[in-house]
Amino acid sequence: MNSNAASSSTANPDAAGSPDPPAPRRSSKRPKYSKFTQQELPACKPILTPKWVILTFLVVGIAFVPIGITSLLASRDVVEIVDRYETDCIPVANRTDKVAFIQSNASKTCTRQITVTKHMKRPVYVYYQLDNFYQNHRRYVKSRNDEQLKKRSKTSETSQCEPEDTTPDGKPIVPCGLIAWSLFNDTYTFSRNKRQLTVNKNGIAWKSDRDHKFGKEVFPSNFQNGTLIGGAHLDESIPLSKQEDLIVWMRTAALPTFRKLYGKIEVDLEENDIIDVILENNYNTYSFSGKKKLVLSTTSWLGGKNDFLGIAYLTVGGLCFFLALSFTIVYLVKPR
Amino acid sequence: MKRYIYINDDETSQDLYCANRLSNRKYTLMNFLPKNLWEQFSRFMNQYFLLIACLQLWSLITPVNPASTWGPLIFIFAVSATKEAWDDYNRYLSDKKANEKEVWVVKQGIKKLIQSQDIRVGNIVWLRENDEVPCDLVLIGTSDPQGVCYVETAALDGETDLKTRLIPAACMGMDFELLHKIKGVIECPGPDKDIRRFDGNLRLLPPFIDNDVCPLTIKNTILQSCYLRNTEWACGVAVYTGNETKLGMTRGIPEPKLTAVDAMIDKLTGAIFVFQIVVVIVLGTAGNVWKDTEARKQWYVLYPQEFPWYELLVIPLRFELLCSIMIPISIKVSLDLVKSLYAKFIDWDYEMIDPETDTPSHATNTAISEDLAQVEYILTDKTGTLTENRMIFRRCCIGGIFYGNETGDALKDVGLLNAITSGSPDVIRFLTVMAVCNTVIPAKSKAGAILYKAQSQDEEALVHAAAQLHMVLVNKNASILEIKFNGSVLQYEILETLEFTSDRKRMSVVVKDCHSGNISLLSKGADEAILPYAHAGQQTRTFVEAVEQYSQLGLRTLCLAWREVEEDEYQEWSLMFKEASSTLIDREWRIAEVCQRLEHDLKVLGVTAIEDRLQDGVPETIETLRKAGINFWMLTGDKQNTAIQIALSCNFISPEPKGQLLSIDGKTEDEVCRSLERVLLTMRITTSEPKDVAFVVDGWALEIALKHYRKAFTELAILSRTAICCRVTPSQKAQLVELLKSCDYRTLAIGDGGNDVRMIQKADIGVGISGREGLQAARAADYSIGKFRFLKRLILVHGRYSYNRTAFLSQYSFYKSLLICFIQIFFSFISGLSGTSLFNSVSLMAYNVFYTSIPVLVSTIDKDLSEGTVMQHPQILFYCQAGRLLNPSTFAGWFGRSLFHAIVAFVISIHVYAYEKSEMEEVSMVALSGCIWLQAFVVALETK
């Protein structure tokens, strides 16, 4: 809207009708040039020709099938013995009301015999496995206080631990919360040919947990003192960082069926060895009809027994081969 | 509500009306926070997020740390609040600049320089030439002895010609000094926004003897934002000030435009919301049932025997929170971000810089780039948009001799130059008509050059051409007109001006040669308005041929003629003319009739041909965009013939055998109705034929059609791919845009002048050409470009890329949120439906921010096809127009994809990691990394 905008122009014969020469000032309006601003960045764009597709599938297939086979073999090498005992360890007379039995003061000692089916190389891992136990339940999984577990000064920090936060007279429970309170308390002792097999319970928890998450100066106090007794008791003279059973238990499982490490047997077990297990069947899984299992297992380089990985690799690899093959046929029969 | 304004009375009007303080601000410092928050929370999405954030404060149900929602929420609010604040601050600054502008105002009888914001109603404001009018004034004095002043009203109504304004009769002839002391009362209506109406009256108080009430009309006012031109000074009484001026009342912050993509995203968000509610209800109910049957037996969970009343709600609410991430909170922010990047790409584009002025294109509205790709109708202005709006005198035919045919430029034709130097009387006469018969106002610039101010570009071109042929219009002083020809000065007195009307199609002047005293009539006009009135003996065949020939070249023709008028004849006619001019009934018709009596027996001098060149690349652009499935309508204020001529020359319509042009005309309802029916019928028949059928309608018929036959006209609009609307007013242009919008078409309006502003604002996308008719259109528009041909690139390249990218980005945002959400839902099935979150707050945040939001920004520079390919095959745009990349079915595809990916990720992360041994933290990490890999894979796959 300057004064000579719009329909006015000079009468100077030379200027009339010819475009105004661009003023030098205007050139500053010109933005800076770069490949980015002009959207000219280099790009690569693979073109999916049949050859490329077939080749890619073939390569994937070739890579996956051997991986699948090796991991399947590794998984097959693992020896695993599972012994389910929750029903067998209750005297026949009490089997009508298992909950009443487990809550009574009767002796719950029970003996089991396990036959080793195959040579087991040490270390042999001892697990207990619970079924239908929802460690991942929201009420349960949140019921802990990591600060309290870590630092002595935070002993009275019991938020989120309800209803197992304090004793009725207001003293803080260490470790507080439902998880610790429901600590698994079945115990196992193993013997072979009347000779005791020692179960090494050191180093069953994660080192990072022991060092960083559970304090060396935090000692249990007021634990399992209430009216309701949940699971195991803890030795009040041992700091939490040494209570490896607790540490293992406090790593909540993702699934309602889970295995937790009980200990390691540091000797080889021979085929047909008979292992006597004396177990204290204390833990109540009967009210929710959960199973209890004792598991002995070796490991391979790939970990425990798990066929899934191998099968998955094989399936994908096989599928790729199949696709490559069918594409080739299609391509040969009906080339574009 | 009437206003009584006491002129120059400092006491009475002091506080009655607001001061002349402009305020376009939306907020003040005090109300910014509450008002802005209120505005933001009136949007559904924000309410939803706020609700979620509030629910998260309840630790019993929250699955994650509340900070993970509050953080982004506050960030988003802060960003949009800052943007609003910045815009408002800029408005404040521009207001301040206008408010603090200094103007001369009479205070206590003395002229003082005060700030514009201190002007009060009743003050007398003095303006000098080229001043902007600070508020609405009633004119009371000008430097002109006849009480006339000229104003440019472009900012108000977009018309670029100068308008004359008169001082009211009562103030006529008042002394310069007296104006300082004038007292009186103006009675006028309360503020309104009608810029064509002002019904007031004025009564001067003693000592000014004139006691009669003097009526005031809009002719006596000069309104805010106009410019005073060609008048040394003018003064007026402030009647409306501040935001109560006519302009202030019309102003308003235009409502934000919502793109089709935005609307679709909102719809999909709604769908997801419903889905979420369903999931929550189902899972919540199942969770409550499970709790009552199973969880009671799980002694380690220690459910209390009694619960509070809200217990039933707890689990559904937990699921609500778990599922709340289904609607990604980041989507608005990231879309806004990438949209502003698209806009920047437009600003930066080297190929859209106007080579003449070096002006880059500019995207004022950063939010609607993707709508460019979905345009179905382009409504374009003609002059200045398709053409360059630079009228150039190219050829002429004088007395049967053609000039300029060889060179294409009559100004360089040796024959013509020779004829001028030799003093051929016909040629001289011809040039005189060119220089005299017009309403052009010459003005001297400071440098001494003469500036011509013309209502019509054609007249300007003629005067320019005459000047170059040594017939220079030097001065126009009241009725005396000075012409310099070959060094000698000729003076003419203009006795009467017979104005141009669209019915008469010609204008004439009656002039008296001051030297010889001869009176003559000089006329110019369209061929059909001049040639039939040639005097009996003259052969007009050559002129008809000339007109024919020039028209075919797409030139605008005018015929020039003259005749001598006897003194007696003039005197006699003059009386009739005066009488006709003062009639109240049918004045225009009467005047036309009287003019007719003088305009006969003309000696036709010749034909001029003026070129309004098409801009470069217009035909190609129209053709390409039409191939892309875009329909064109031309809306012009110009004559029908010119419009059709231009339409033909720029591929807008095809010539006869291939195309067909149907015309809707008529003056009465019946005529229009019949012609509309006829056109509609032809249209229906020919839709199946491969023929380019277009219709042409003029403003009058359009008015009737829109008023009475809206339905029929709407049907016609849907059937017709091309239309030409001539002689339409700015508001009709806007109405046509409305009409197409009401048929659910995406419209783009492109124009360059102030008369296009309303259409530009109404359309889904407004594009302004920063051309010669000023910058109003470019300012009002969403995009401003230098040349029409850039439209092709704007739509095909920028629009298309933006659409593709936005379509991807928005659906991807939902995909990645759904992916993580589905995993959460699956996990809830194995965690006793208790609403446990598999992922912790930190990983959720990291997933949303680092792993998904940032890498996906790569897609904003993604191109699926090269620019060249798109330009060559504009048909590709169909995909975008039809919304093929973002619609419920593509969204369902993404939904299914996220479900499938979630299943894969969940199953693998649970099984692969030794089913029974899996711990929550581990599973969560594995699943998270699975999601990250999957989405990265998707991004890599989808971008090219």
Side-chain angles (χ1 to χ4, degrees):
Chain A
M1 278 188 279
N2 50 25
S3 59
N4 59 354
S7 58
S8 63
S9 56
T10 59
N12 179 0
D14 300 319
S18 67
D20 304 348
R25 177 182 57 86
R26 279 190 173 157
S27 59
S28 62
K29 273 196 263 174
R30 196 172 256 266
K32 253 190 189 157
Y33 178 86
S34 81
K35 280 199 165 167
F36 174 71
T37 60
Q38 300 306 310
Q39 305 198 49
E40 285 168 1
L41 290 174
C44 78
K45 191 160 107 189
I47 294 165
L48 294 177
T49 60
K51 263 186 203 163
W52 269 106
V53 173
I54 292 169
L55 212 65
T56 320
F57 275 125
L58 219 58
V59 167
V60 173
I62 289 170
F64 274 28
V65 170
I67 298 178
I69 291 172
T70 21
S71 40
L72 207 56
L73 287 180
S75 166
R76 288 283 148 89
D77 271 351
V78 174
V79 185
E80 197 178 88
I81 304 162
V82 181
D83 179 52
R84 182 176 163 187
Y85 65 86
E86 90 277 359
T87 319
D88 294 341
C89 277
I90 292 193
V92 184
N94 296 80
R95 283 192 191 164
T96 45
D97 192 357
K98 296 172 195 160
V99 181
F101 172 77
I102 204 79
Q103 282 169 350
S104 68
N105 287 328
S107 158
K108 287 153 194 154
T109 314
C110 163
T111 36
R112 310 278 302 158
Q113 281 193 338
I114 295 170
T115 315
V116 179
T117 50
K118 222 173 163 188
H119 176 80
M120 289 173 97
K121 261 179 85 179
R122 66 182 177 174
V124 176
Y125 292 91
V126 180
Y127 300 96
Y128 54 90
Q129 178 173 338
L130 298 181
D131 254 31
N132 204 19
F133 190 103
Y134 287 85
Q135 263 207 320
N136 56 14
H137 193 278
R138 200 191 124 96
R139 235 180 112 77
Y140 188 82
V141 82
K142 290 229 158 190
S143 189
R144 61 191 288 167
N145 192 311
D146 290 334
E147 286 294 300
Q148 190 204 42
L149 296 174
K150 203 174 357 184
K151 289 180 192 137
R152 187 175 196 165
S153 51
K154 296 279 172 69
T155 306
S156 52
E157 189 76 46
T158 56
S159 61
Q160 293 200 333
C161 285
E162 295 141 29
E164 283 303 314
D165 48 351
T166 52
T167 53
D169 51 345
K171 288 183 201 146
I173 298 174
V174 184
C176 72
L178 289 175
I179 310 179
W181 175 72
S182 59
L183 177 59
F184 187 70
N185 59 357
D186 283 9
T187 57
Y188 314 105
T189 36
F190 299 90
S191 53
R192 181 172 59 179
N193 303 331
K194 312 283 179 210
R195 284 196 22 224
Q196 182 103 12
L197 286 170
T198 42
V199 177
N200 182 4
K201 299 200 73 154
N202 286 329
I204 55 172
W206 287 27
K207 194 174 182 319
S208 62
D209 282 1
R210 275 178 284 156
D211 293 351
H212 303 297
K213 291 203 170 163
F214 290 80
K216 289 193 175 67
E217 280 124 38
V218 185
F219 294 90
S221 62
N222 306 321
F223 191 69
Q224 303 286 26
N225 276 355
T227 41
L228 272 169
I229 306 294
H233 293 260
L234 292 174
D235 189 338
E236 300 212 346
S237 59
I238 303 172
L240 289 185
S241 62
K242 296 266 169 62
Q243 309 260 14
E244 297 205 31
D245 277 330
L246 178 75
I247 299 175
V248 168
W249 181 255
M250 296 277 284
R251 271 203 161 258
T252 45
L255 303 171
T257 301
F258 62 88
R259 248 175 223 192
K260 290 206 176 287
L261 193 56
Y262 181 80
K264 291 177 278 186
I265 297 172
E266 302 275 15
V267 289
D268 283 9
L269 299 179
E270 302 304 327
E271 197 171 335
N272 294 328
D273 272 359
I274 292 176
I275 315 269
D276 293 307
V277 188
I278 300 166
L279 57 84
E280 292 288 324
N281 181 23
N282 294 325
Y283 205 67
N284 177 12
T285 58
Y286 302 98
S287 59
F288 51 89
S289 42
K291 297 171 198 158
K292 283 198 264 193
K293 284 173 190 165
L294 174 64
V295 180
L296 299 180
S297 170
T298 58
T299 53
S300 70
W301 58 270
L302 207 64
K305 194 173 181 67
N306 186 9
D307 292 348
F308 178 82
L309 199 63
I311 291 169
Y313 268 115
L314 277 180
T315 319
V316 174
L319 206 67
C320 284
F321 264 128
F322 174 73
L323 284 175
L325 197 70
S326 43
F327 277 147
T328 320
I329 291 168
V330 169
Y331 184 56
L332 288 179
V333 171
K334 225 175 150 188
R336 279 206 298 182
Chain B
M1 207 195 79
K2 283 213 177 267
R3 258 184 190 208
Y4 293 94
I5 295 153
Y6 295 90
I7 301 173
N8 220 353
D9 189 335
D10 291 321
E11 285 82 47
T12 44
S13 58
Q14 202 64 7
D15 299 313
L16 218 46
Y17 307 112
C18 69
N20 190 37
R21 195 186 168 78
L22 282 177
S23 174
N24 292 319
R25 290 160 67 194
K26 228 164 125 189
Y27 310 104
T28 63
L29 217 54
M30 294 303 289
N31 75 6
F32 176 76
L33 209 61
K35 197 171 171 188
N36 186 266
L37 281 181
W38 173 253
E39 275 184 5
Q40 294 208 37
F41 279 121
S42 44
R43 287 170 54 187
F44 171 73
M45 280 268 246
N46 289 341
Q47 287 169 8
Y48 169 77
F49 289 132
L50 185 72
L51 178 76
I52 296 298
C54 287
L55 281 178
Q56 291 205 331
L57 289 180
W58 188 8
S59 67
L60 185 63
I61 58 171
T62 178
V64 291
N65 195 333
S68 66
T69 308
W70 281 101
L73 193 69
I74 288 169
F75 176 74
I76 288 167
F77 273 72
V79 166
S80 44
T82 318
K83 198 172 152 232
E84 281 281 307
W86 176 247
D87 287 352
D88 213 45
Y89 179 67
N90 280 335
R91 281 197 284 268
Y92 164 73
L93 284 187
S94 72
D95 284 352
K96 195 175 161 194
K97 209 172 142 196
N99 283 334
E100 293 182 353
K101 204 174 193 175
E102 302 208 306
V103 285
W104 289 100
V105 168
V106 177
K107 291 249 170 185
Q108 276 100 30
I110 306 154
K111 214 152 73 167
K112 273 188 194 155
L113 202 57
I114 62 164
Q115 287 188 347
S116 161
Q117 57 184 332
D118 297 327
I119 298 175
R120 291 278 170 174
V121 168
N123 283 159
I124 296 177
V125 180
W126 290 76
L127 301 166
R128 282 178 300 181
E129 189 170 359
N130 296 335
D131 274 354
E132 189 183 346
V133 183
C135 59
D136 290 357
L137 304 173
V138 165
L139 208 57
I140 53 168
T142 79
S143 58
D144 188 271
Q146 263 110 30
V148 179
C149 78
Y150 299 93
V151 286
E152 186 185 298
T153 56
L156 200 60
D157 57 11
E159 293 166 24
T160 47
D161 54 330
L162 297 183
K163 295 210 171 61
T164 51
R165 291 287 186 253
L166 277 171
I167 62 174
C171 304
M172 200 67 96
M174 202 172 285
D175 191 46
F176 180 79
E177 289 301 318
L178 273 178
L179 284 173
H180 286 272
K181 304 188 191 94
I182 198 166
K183 295 272 175 190
V185 188
I186 292 173
E187 189 187 337
C188 64
D192 59 31
K193 53 175 154 185
D194 191 347
I195 57 168
R196 311 213 181 272
R197 218 181 142 88
F198 178 80
D199 305 314
N201 50 53
L202 164 77
R203 175 190 299 208
L204 296 182
L205 298 176
F208 301 92
I209 17 74
D210 197 37
N211 247 350
D212 287 345
V213 173
C214 167
L216 299 173
T217 67
I218 196 77
K219 273 267 182 195
N220 305 116
T221 60
I222 44 180
L223 301 182
Q224 189 183 35
S225 83
C226 296
Y227 284 84
L228 189 68
R229 302 283 191 215
N230 290 12
T231 313
E232 202 181 312
W233 57 263
C235 69
V237 182
V239 283
Y240 302 123
T241 48
N243 283 358
E244 290 180 346
T245 61
K246 301 260 184 195
L247 181 71
M249 299 291 283
T250 49
R251 196 165 26 209
I253 296 157
E255 47 188 291
K257 293 177 177 176
L258 195 69
T259 67
V261 170
D262 284 337
M264 182 55 78
I265 292 174
D266 281 357
K267 224 186 266 175
L268 295 176
T269 311
I272 288 292
F273 182 68
V274 171
F275 173 71
Q276 177 186 333
I277 295 292
V278 169
V279 167
V280 166
I281 290 173
V282 169
L283 288 184
T285 319
N288 273 330
V289 169
W290 194 88
K291 184 191 78 184
D292 288 336
T293 51
E294 287 295 314
R296 298 261 164 254
K297 299 181 198 154
Q298 316 276 353
W299 56 268
Y300 50 88
V301 178
L302 264 186
Y303 257 112
Q305 290 305 311
E306 286 170 24
F307 7 77
W309 57 270
Y310 53 78
E311 182 66 20
L312 264 183
L313 278 178
V314 167
I315 288 179
L317 281 179
R318 276 182 195 159
F319 278 113
E320 171 61 41
L321 289 185
L322 267 188
C323 295
S324 69
I325 49 171
M326 264 189 201
I327 298 172
I329 196 166
S330 60
I331 188 165
K332 284 271 167 196
V333 175
S334 47
L335 281 183
D336 281 353
L337 197 75
V338 297
K339 279 177 177 182
S340 44
L341 186 67
Y342 305 151
K344 276 283 163 229
F345 278 137
I346 292 171
D347 292 359
W348 285 331
D349 197 332
Y350 259 41
E351 286 179 40
M352 299 214 310
I353 296 175
D354 186 355
E356 274 173 34
T357 56
D358 235 1
T359 319
S361 303
H362 178 61
T364 319
N365 189 341
T366 57
I368 59 170
S369 307
E370 64 270 9
D371 237 15
L372 281 171
Q374 296 197 292
V375 166
E376 289 157 307
Y377 273 89
I378 293 180
L379 296 105
T380 165
D381 179 38
K382 183 183 71 70
T383 320
T385 307
L386 299 175
T387 64
E388 293 206 354
N389 196 17
R390 188 178 292 137
M391 308 291 175
I392 301 168
F393 179 80
R394 282 298 182 206
R395 293 171 195 220
C396 62
C397 166
I398 305 172
I401 304 164
F402 288 83
Y403 294 105
N405 272 12
E406 294 86 37
T407 51
D409 187 357
L411 300 180
K412 295 197 182 93
D413 193 303
V414 187
L416 183 59
L417 294 175
N418 285 343
I420 293 167
T421 35
S422 66
S424 153
D426 262 0
V427 174
I428 306 264
R429 189 60 73 183
F430 187 84
L431 292 181
T432 315
V433 178
M434 273 169 73
V436 174
C437 179
N438 54 47
T439 52
V440 173
I441 299 155
K444 278 223 166 66
S445 74
K446 278 174 197 133
I450 299 168
L451 297 171
Y452 292 123
K453 305 199 173 179
Q455 296 208 10
S456 106
Q457 298 265 335
D458 296 78
E459 289 189 343
E460 195 192 331
L462 287 180
V463 175
H464 267 298
Q468 277 172 285
L469 296 169
H470 313 295
M471 184 72 83
V472 189
L473 173 62
V474 186
N475 200 359
K476 201 181 235 175
N477 199 347
S479 57
I480 304 293
L481 194 135
E482 271 181 24
I483 286 182
K484 219 185 237 169
F485 178 61
N486 280 348
S488 58
V489 175
L490 308 170
Q491 282 193 328
Y492 291 95
E493 187 186 347
I494 297 180
L495 298 174
E496 298 294 346
T497 303
L498 287 64
E499 278 179 16
F500 176 89
T501 66
S502 49
D503 288 329
R504 280 165 27 83
K505 290 182 184 161
R506 63 176 173 260
M507 78 151 302
S508 310
V509 288
V510 182
V511 293
K512 185 168 157 188
D513 189 334
C514 294
H515 186 64
S516 64
N518 292 337
I519 298 176
S520 50
L521 173 86
L522 311 179
S523 298
K524 74 170 199 301
D527 49 318
E528 71 262 32
I530 295 281
L531 297 183
Y533 303 102
H535 78 103
Q538 197 175 11
Q539 283 291 336
T540 54
R541 208 170 46 79
T542 43
F543 299 117
V544 175
E545 275 171 20
V547 169
E548 193 90 333
Q549 190 189 338
Y550 292 147
S551 291
Q552 270 167 14
L553 293 166
L555 302 171
R556 301 152 71 101
T557 55
L558 283 174
C559 291
L560 306 189
W562 82 291
R563 90 176 166 96
E564 273 188 61
V565 182
E566 297 302 319
E567 182 78 37
D568 308 347
E569 190 193 356
Y570 169 69
Q571 292 300 348
E572 193 185 320
W573 176 82
S574 174
L575 286 174
M576 285 196 293
F577 186 68
K578 283 218 171 65
E579 191 205 319
S581 306
S582 55
T583 46
L584 294 174
I585 311 148
D586 278 341
R587 185 193 292 175
E588 197 177 312
W589 182 80
R590 286 284 303 276
I591 290 178
E593 199 200 42
V594 173
C595 291
Q596 187 93 52
R597 296 194 190 181
L598 201 64
E599 295 167 331
H600 59 81
D601 283 337
L602 300 171
K603 285 183 195 134
V604 180
L605 289 165
V607 181
T608 60
I610 296 167
E611 181 188 46
D612 183 8
R613 239 182 37 219
L614 280 184
Q615 288 186 15
D616 286 343
V618 168
E620 294 84 348
T621 307
I622 290 181
E623 201 184 325
T624 314
L625 289 179
R626 197 169 267 152
K627 267 193 211 151
I630 298 173
N631 303 333
F632 274 90
W633 280 31
M634 185 200 273
L635 315 180
T636 171
D638 220 328
K639 294 182 287 268
Q640 186 156 332
N641 288 356
T642 331
I644 294 173
Q645 219 38 261
I646 293 287
L648 277 170
S649 63
C650 62
N651 272 352
F652 204 83
I653 48 176
S654 319
E656 254 316 318
K658 214 176 138 244
Q660 192 179 356
L661 191 66
L662 308 165
S663 141
I664 301 171
D665 44 22
K667 291 270 169 235
T668 64
E669 276 182 40
D670 283 347
E671 280 171 39
V672 172
C673 177
R674 249 176 284 133
S675 118
L676 188 64
E677 293 282 309
R678 204 178 55 240
V679 169
L680 206 49
L681 202 68
T682 334
M683 213 52 118
R684 286 196 197 119
I685 297 165
T686 49
T687 37
S688 51
E689 295 172 32
K691 208 170 181 188
D692 295 335
V693 186
F695 73 87
V696 52
V697 62
D698 68 359
W700 182 257
L702 185 68
E703 183 82 47
I704 295 172
L706 284 178
K707 212 172 189 175
H708 302 284
Y709 308 104
R710 203 180 169 86
K711 222 176 131 229
F713 191 76
T714 311
E715 196 195 335
L716 183 66
I718 295 169
L719 281 174
S720 168
R721 296 199 59 199
T722 312
I724 301 172
C725 305
C726 332
R727 294 232 154 267
V728 288
T729 60
S731 68
Q732 281 180 325
K733 289 186 179 185
Q735 274 177 28
L736 285 170
V737 171
E738 287 273 278
L739 183 89
L740 286 175
K741 271 173 87 176
S742 69
C743 306
D744 258 351
Y745 286 121
R746 290 265 130 193
T747 53
L748 180 149
I750 179 166
D752 71 321
N755 55 346
D756 305 315
V757 168
R758 289 183 62 182
M759 137 175 121
I760 283 172
Q761 282 173 340
K762 270 272 149 41
D764 293 310
I765 304 163
V767 180
I769 300 230
S770 39
R772 280 158 57 82
E773 273 189 45
L775 288 170
Q776 297 100 32
R779 282 208 195 113
D782 302 312
Y783 297 95
S784 72
I785 55 180
K787 289 269 180 277
F788 184 78
R789 64 167 190 273
F790 298 150
L791 195 60
K792 185 164 91 174
R793 196 174 158 79
L794 189 67
I795 289 178
L796 287 178
V797 174
H798 291 287
R800 194 173 162 281
Y801 283 155
S802 304
Y803 175 76
N804 287 357
R805 293 165 185 172
T806 304
F808 169 73
L809 191 70
S810 50
Q811 298 186 100
Y812 163 82
S813 295
F814 278 105
Y815 156 79
K816 58 128 194 196
S817 316
L818 282 171
L819 176 62
I820 213 105
C821 196
F822 278 129
I823 291 182
Q824 296 271 46
I825 291 172
F826 295 149
F827 181 71
S828 76
F829 285 111
I830 60 165
S831 65
L833 292 166
S834 57
T836 318
S837 172
L838 178 59
F839 305 107
N840 59 33
S841 324
V842 178
S843 30
L844 275 182
M845 276 265 263
Y847 177 78
N848 274 327
V849 178
F850 297 110
Y851 295 118
T852 59
S853 290
I854 293 166
V856 80
L857 291 182
V858 171
S859 74
T860 57
I861 50 168
D862 174 46
K863 293 173 168 183
D864 55 340
L865 294 166
S866 75
E867 288 170 12
T869 320
V870 182
M871 290 289 225
Q872 270 169 20
H873 306 282
Q875 294 86 342
I876 299 168
L877 198 70
F878 283 133
Y879 272 93
C880 304
Q881 270 171 351
R884 295 269 184 83
L885 296 178
L886 175 67
N887 56 38
S889 60
T890 57
F891 188 73
W894 280 93
F895 186 87
R897 186 185 233 178
S898 63
L899 185 62
F900 172 67
H901 286 182
I903 292 173
V904 170
F906 186 69
V907 167
I908 289 185
S909 48
I910 279 193
H911 280 98
V912 116
Y913 210 74
Y915 186 66
E916 300 87 357
K917 274 192 278 183
S918 50
E919 290 162 8
M920 250 184 82
E921 280 178 39
E922 291 159 1
V923 170
S924 118
M925 284 304 143
V926 172
L928 188 73
S929 47
C931 292
I932 291 164
W933 279 109
L934 272 172
Q935 62 83 20
F937 174 70
V938 165
V939 171
L941 198 71
E942 290 289 324
T943 62
K944 277 99 188 179

